[in-house]
Amino acid sequence: MNAISTPNAPAAIGPYSQAIVAGNTVYVSGQLPIDPSTGEFKEGCIRCKTRQSLLNIKNILAAEGLTMKNVVKVTVLLTDINDFAAVNEVYADFFEAPFPARSAFAVAALPKGAPIEIEAIAVK
């Protein structure tokens, strides 16, 4: 196993890595909508926050020489499932067919009071 770490995504806020490479698989930890340049949540609506979470994933993958085309599975966690359609609008800007498999869940709460967290699995 090797850890991926980049200043182009938020530093881990606990005892975990931004991502782990195991063989040909990259496991990207859940990304909150934190702007790495400020350490704060991206301002704006859920679309802005979704975009930031996905940009964080994209930047972590780039540190390993990968793109969003390498993503095979995504998990989206939302504190308000009514945001699902807005999330899909932004999500479609980051992926193209064949789209990765995906799960989406409504959860009671996320770290730091975030409205969204997204994790991904990619294959080299």
Side-chain angles (χ1 to χ4, degrees), residues 1-6 9 17-31 56-75 95 100-101 118-124:
M1 284 189 334
N2 295 311
I4 298 173
S5 181
T6 177
S17 300
Q18 288 175 329
I20 289 290
V21 179
N24 287 330
T25 307
V26 178
Y27 300 89
V28 180
S29 293
Q31 294 300 302
N56 292 342
I57 290 170
K58 183 178 180 179
N59 290 337
I60 291 167
L61 292 172
E64 187 64 18
L66 303 176
T67 71
M68 297 300 261
K69 291 181 181 182
N70 294 96
V71 175
V72 295
K73 174 69 168 77
V74 177
T75 303
F95 296 102
I118 305 174
E119 66 178 22
I121 299 171
V123 176
K124 294 182 177 186

Side-chain angles (χ1 to χ4, degrees), residues 81-106:
I81 200 66
N82 293 314
D83 289 335
F84 186 73
V87 168
N88 270 341
E89 290 174 20
V90 176
Y91 185 92
D93 292 339
F94 284 81
F95 296 102
E96 57 187 53
F99 298 103
R102 185 178 76 179
S103 301
F105 300 95

Side-chain angles (χ1 to χ4, degrees), residues 32 75-84 103-119:
L32 299 176
T75 303
V76 178
L77 304 172
L78 295 165
T79 57
D80 185 349
I81 200 66
N82 293 314
D83 289 335
F84 186 73
S103 301
F105 300 95
V107 296
L110 290 166
K112 296 185 153 238
I116 188 168
E117 182 174 2
I118 305 174
E119 66 178 22

